[in-house]
């Protein structure tokens, strides 16, 4: 919502996703326009490798964990592979080592689709790997007078606890003493 409180309300979250939907529409238009110029085997590989490295291992570990915390390495893999910075570097390296080509459009297409269509952004160590409604966030929405989002609907219902050690809360009056 601002620099001091980087939460999003359902409305700002929708607006944030809408920005990525515009990027998805642009890349989709370019893919359609250059459909015959795209080498589809490399495009398929470039599209899939992001999730093969960055999502599927963490999703499997999360499912196997029964909702318990999973190693942070899965979060790092997800965030690195789903970064526009990383995929920009991959595209630059591809252009240098292979050649500039329209198949590279699948990189932003994948990321814009994940964010715009599915609402998947970077993963925080403080939350379960898969989305689970957090009581603290629901209380924030209550305080703001906003409706709760619908539950995600996992096959199992993981306990919505953070995945980092709880820190003691120090109130401003206690810190002054």
């Amino acid at each position: 919502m601002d620099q001091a409180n980087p939460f999003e309300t359902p409305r700002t979250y929708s607006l944030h996703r809408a920005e990525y939907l515009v990027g998805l529409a642009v890349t989709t238009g370019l893919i359609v326009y250059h459909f015959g110029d795209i080498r589809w085997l490399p495009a398929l590989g470039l599209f899939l490798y992001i999730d093969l490295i960055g999502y599927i291992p963490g999703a499997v570990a999360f499912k196997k964990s029964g909702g318990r915390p999973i190693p942070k390495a899965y979060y790092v893999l997800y965030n690195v592979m789903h970064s526009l910075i990383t995929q920009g570097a991959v595209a630059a390296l591809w252009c240098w080592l292979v050649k500039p080509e329209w198949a590279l459009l699948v990189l932003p297409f994948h990321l814009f689709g994940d964010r715009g269509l599915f609402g998947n952004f970077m993963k925080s160590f403080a939350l379960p790997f898969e989305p689970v409604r957090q009581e603290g966030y629901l209380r924030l929405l209550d305080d703001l007078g906003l409706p709760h989002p619908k539950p995600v609907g996992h096959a199992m219902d993981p306990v919505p606890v953070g995945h980092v050690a709880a820190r003691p809360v120090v109130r401003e009056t206690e810190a002054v003493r």
Side-chain angles (χ1 to χ4, degrees):
M1 294 184 337
D2 61 31
Q3 293 169 333
N5 304 287
F7 301 102
E8 290 190 285
T9 63
R11 178 66 45 98
T12 56
Y13 179 67
S14 294
L15 292 171
H16 195 179
R17 289 178 65 181
E19 290 183 344
Y20 286 100
L21 286 174
V22 170
L24 179 64
V26 170
T27 55
T28 300
L30 289 168
I31 287 170
V32 169
Y33 186 78
H34 293 284
F35 194 84
D37 301 322
I38 295 173
R39 291 190 314 138
W40 286 102
L41 194 57
L44 182 63
L46 287 165
F47 183 86
L48 293 176
Y49 99 100
I50 294 171
D51 282 342
L52 289 173
I53 296 170
Y55 173 68
I56 292 173
V60 169
F62 177 79
K63 186 169 175 58
K64 283 183 172 183
S65 77
R68 290 183 313 277
I70 62 173
K72 291 179 181 177
Y74 294 114
Y75 292 75
V76 172
L77 282 173
Y78 181 91
N79 291 341
V80 168
M81 294 306 296
H82 288 83
S83 165
L84 288 165
I85 296 168
T86 300
Q87 298 313 319
V90 167
L93 198 58
W94 187 280
C95 288
W96 183 48
L97 296 174
V98 181
K99 67 177 181 176
E101 61 179 308
W102 293 111
L104 294 169
L105 282 172
V106 300
L107 297 174
F109 178 82
H110 182 128
L111 299 182
F112 293 160
D114 275 358
R115 292 176 183 162
L117 294 174
F118 306 116
N120 296 330
F121 291 87
M122 296 297 184
K123 297 199 179 285
S124 167
F125 291 152
L127 298 171
F129 188 82
E130 293 289 357
V132 176
R133 296 188 328 165
Q134 299 292 305
E135 290 301 319
Y137 179 67
L138 298 178
R139 284 193 305 273
L140 170 67
L141 293 178
D142 289 341
D143 289 348
L144 296 173
L146 298 171
H148 292 189
K150 65 180 182 193
V152 177
H154 296 286
M156 41 89 176
D157 196 18
V159 177
V161 295
H163 285 208
V164 293
R167 291 179 221 102
V169 176
V170 178
R171 307 215 186 286
E172 196 172 305
T173 56
E174 295 172 357
V176 175
R177 293 183 194 171

